[in-house]
Amino acid sequence: MLEPAFQADVVVVGAGVAGLSAALRLAHAGVTTTVLEAGPDVGGRMSTEKVDGFRLDRVGQLLFTSYPELRLTPGLDALALRLFAPGVLLHSDGRRHRAGTPVPGRSARGALNAVRALASAPRATPVLGRGGGAVPPPRNRPTAPVGGAVDQARLGSALARIAGTPLERLLARPEQPAGQALAARGLPARTVDGFLRPLLSALLCDPELTTSSRCADLALRAFAAGRMAVPEGGAEVLPELLARALPPGSVHTGVRVTSVSTTSVTTAEHGEFRCRAVLLATDARSAAELLPGLRVPDFHPVTVVHHTTDAPPATGAALLLDADRGGPVTHTAVISAVDPSRAPAGRTLISSTVLGSPPDDVDTAVRVHLARLYGTSTARWETLAVHHTAEAVPAMRAPHDLRRPVRLLAGLYVCGDHRDSSTVQGALHSGHRASAAILADLGAAGSMHTAEPSPTARAA
């Protein structure tokens, strides 16, 4: 028999970070809120698997300290971010090069002076060849994939400029595919192909760079203005913090929603939840199943392969990118060097990301590629997990509306990374916009829960 109907001012369908952040803002405004989640846990794609003391993220989203929503969202005060080393490591021509590190001054002259001061220091880490010796640098070529000192200065100046560019000015730029926009920016082709393409591939999960140039600019701005990071303890920590900050009993997992309207939500397990407004905070496909007519974007598949070894590669806490695109791995990191809580004492966790359709024997292909990237044998590495998510990241191809409406009609709202940018920042900001729209429509100034439910009306 179905249990008695639950009552709330707002029912949020989906307990990802967008829905949880919106629910928390509503609760802080005095609006009684119920969150329904079909899965066994909160978090959606921000989930973490536990295997023998390791914490393994399923998608492996990268965060940035420059994300404003991490500071503005209630409940995230206790979020601890573990930082990657500044910039990134680029593997090119058998060597590793550090690039994208901050330089003093925002002008081209300041960047050039900083690079010239470092020009006499070695920049590349030699990767051991098969015979155990260092691979010599190619002759008559710049010492780094971004070019020589002048090119590096121009890159540093460009990153400094984009870090200081107001958001609205970035969004007002002409929009085209990111790959085309990069080619027209005036930077040397080597800098574009050797640094910007691999970096944006990792940040956007789009190796072909079909993403809107405005979204690519936002990603570069986040990179230039802050530091890359991951949540301490795994990706699941962020949604768990949001869920714990809600009033007790607000979140119900294992509840499948079968239909929604402006005043009720029907579930398979508990019948009808009556309310004054409904916020649909699921992934894009699930949202369209409940509300036919909603746009379902294309998606970028993501495969994350986790390995462990007793002998950590000598890359420290850096994000390592393959500028040569010589294998399936787009980016990889000794993630336990970034966040030691993700691996047991004495063990090393290496997490690597494959974008697009993975090869048939993905683990073997990844091992071969990682041996080249890290310059060490991977034959004795232990595979902990291979996580493939076919619809991991909504595509943001041009033209892309970064502020898709969250209010469908009075009483029915939708949020998620598919309504904003396909990042954790976008999901949180979408939840922020949705909660603001609900509060404006309900005129919330305190609790508006009423004993008598509103009449039930089915969505067309």
Side-chain angles (χ1 to χ4, degrees), residues 265-338:
V265 168
T266 303
T267 70
E269 291 80 9
H270 303 288
E272 187 178 58
F273 288 71
R274 298 174 185 169
C275 55
R276 299 185 63 191
V278 173
L279 172 58
L280 202 54
T282 65
D283 62 89
R285 191 169 301 279
S286 298
E289 290 173 356
L290 290 171
L291 289 177
L294 282 183
R295 171 182 171 270
V296 179
D298 294 330
F299 295 89
H300 297 304
V302 173
T303 303
V304 182
V305 184
H306 299 280
H307 292 102
T308 182
T309 178
D310 295 327
T315 54
L319 185 70
L320 176 58
L321 312 178
D322 184 12
D324 295 333
R325 301 181 70 177
V329 176
T330 303
H331 56 282
T332 180
V334 182
I335 202 70
S336 56
V338 182

Side-chain angles (χ1 to χ4, degrees), residues 35-109:
V35 181
L36 307 180
E37 168 59 42
D41 303 295
V42 301
R45 282 164 285 160
M46 292 197 73
S47 62
T48 304
E49 183 184 14
K50 286 87 169 176
V51 176
D52 298 333
F54 292 92
R55 293 174 173 267
L56 314 175
D57 284 355
R58 292 187 175 275
V59 177
Q61 294 100 326
L62 297 170
L63 305 182
F64 285 95
T65 57
S66 54
Y67 280 169
E69 289 297 334
L70 292 178
R71 301 187 301 272
L72 298 175
T73 302
L76 295 183
D77 298 345
L79 178 66
L81 294 179
R82 305 294 298 196
L83 303 179
F84 287 86
V88 295
L89 281 181
L90 294 168
H91 181 274
S92 178
D93 296 329
R95 295 169 69 87
R96 291 191 294 269
H97 313 260
R98 189 169 296 280
T101 53
V103 294
R106 288 188 175 180
S107 66
R109 182 182 298 275

